[in-house]
Structure formats: C-alpha cells, structure tokens
Amino acid sequence: MDRTGARPKSGRPKRLLPLHPITAPVFLNSMWNVNDHFPAKLMDALSAKGFTVSSTGGVMRVEKYGSGAEFRRTSNDHYTMTILPTILLNGQFVRLWDAGYQKFLLTDDGRKFPARAEQLVNMRRFNEELRTALGIPTYYNEALGSTSLVSVYDRVKGRAGDVPDKTVGVKTVSGH
C-alpha cells in the first residue's frame, strides 16, 4: 500500500528501504540492487583497490573519500549490502536528504547539516569506484549526479511534506 492506503497497480505493496528508522518520509527507490550477493573473494579484494575495509563479526564496512557502505556476510560465504553508499559524518553513516532547495545530511539522532559540494562529489566518486570494483553497471540517471535517499518537495499546506524538517524527523534545536 502507498501513503493513501491504495495498492500500487502491480498488486504488490511498495518496499521501502530506510537505512535508519524515522517518521514517514518519501523514500526514493535505491539505484543499488540491495539483493545482490557479492562473493567474499571479491569483497576481500576491495582493500587492494584503495578502499579502507574493516570487518567485525560478519559485518564489513567499506570506506573511501569520507563515504562508506556496509555489507553483511550471508550463510553461503557471500556479502549483501545493508547500508547503501553514503557520506560519513564523524565516522557515522548519514542519510542524504534533498529538500528541493538544498541537500542536507540527516543523522540518526535527528540533526541535520547542510551537505557541502565536496562531500557530494566525494560520495559520487566513492559510489562509482565501488560499483566498478564490484562489477555493477552505472546507469544514465545515476551518472548525472548524487541521488538522495529521502526527497521532500511538496510544500502545500496540509499535505505530508508541508513542514520538511518534521517530515524527515529532524529535531528542532532551541537556544541558538
């Protein structure tokens, strides 16, 4: 079912892929197929391609250029992506939010920070290099620039999205 409660034309409910639990934003479909399984041998070779790779308890974190992604080992000695490529802020994964007029980084604790051009360029480089290293094709719309996990453009009063910060779960900070 969608936000209105109607079923999509395909008859299947839409599958939302949030990285972090937040209140009902509009999630874009991921450009990565998160159901892909990558052989352990391929994942182990990432460090030789310039990525910083750390692995603990079956969870592999891949980083480069201040961006990162997370993979988990499956029972058949493969890895599946659990956190899509994103920007790292103080070592933590953040969500990229396109507010229509500017892109923001959203933290798990509800804070937002303006995304800097350098961060977006580096995330794009990381994404492209990781795709190449894993043998995943890049499609035209992805090659145009960064894609956001969360997007809220509707500013019509009374509709979901009319107060963008509230829609994506940003906490109000007082005392500035």
Side-chain angles (χ1 to χ4, degrees):
M1 290 188 207
D2 64 11
R3 288 189 334 224
T4 65
R7 283 201 176 272
K9 290 181 181 160
S10 69
R12 295 187 332 252
K14 283 188 177 182
R15 186 172 148 197
L16 300 179
L17 298 172
L19 291 179
H20 312 285
I22 59 170
T23 58
V26 178
F27 285 100
L28 298 177
N29 289 330
S30 166
M31 299 298 174
W32 282 82
N33 181 358
V34 293
N35 295 321
D36 281 346
H37 293 270
F38 306 101
K41 193 173 186 176
L42 180 64
M43 298 300 293
D44 292 338
L46 290 175
S47 59
K49 296 180 180 183
F51 293 93
T52 302
V53 178
S54 58
S55 186
T56 308
V59 177
M60 181 179 284
R61 187 172 175 149
V62 180
E63 299 177 21
K64 192 174 186 181
Y65 309 123
S67 297
E70 184 181 271
F71 299 83
R72 290 191 190 268
R73 185 182 290 271
T74 63
S75 58
N76 61 354
D77 204 32
H78 281 68
Y79 283 86
T80 185
M81 187 179 291
T82 53
I83 297 183
L84 300 172
T86 189
I87 296 168
L88 295 170
L89 191 62
N90 296 324
Q92 300 298 312
F93 294 108
V94 296
R95 290 172 288 131
L96 182 61
W97 169 37
D98 187 342
Y101 58 93
Q102 182 174 347
K103 292 188 188 253
F104 292 95
L105 306 177
L106 300 175
T107 64
D108 282 343
D109 61 2
R111 295 178 296 147
K112 75 174 182 180
F113 299 92
R116 297 188 329 263
E118 177 186 11
Q119 290 170 315
L120 296 173
V121 167
N122 286 339
M123 183 180 76
R124 182 176 174 194
R125 268 177 72 193
F126 170 77
N127 192 33
E128 290 175 359
E129 290 183 22
L130 184 59
R131 282 178 170 280
T132 300
L134 296 175
I136 298 171
T138 300
Y139 299 104
Y140 175 76
N141 59 330
E142 299 165 303
L144 294 176
S146 57
T147 56
S148 301
L149 181 63
V150 184
S151 184
V152 179
Y153 291 112
D154 194 353
R155 301 286 192 272
V156 178
K157 191 171 184 166
R159 284 195 202 163
D162 63 345
V163 181
D165 284 2
K166 184 175 87 177
T167 305
V168 297
V170 173
K171 295 179 183 172
T172 306
V173 179
S174 59
H176 282 308

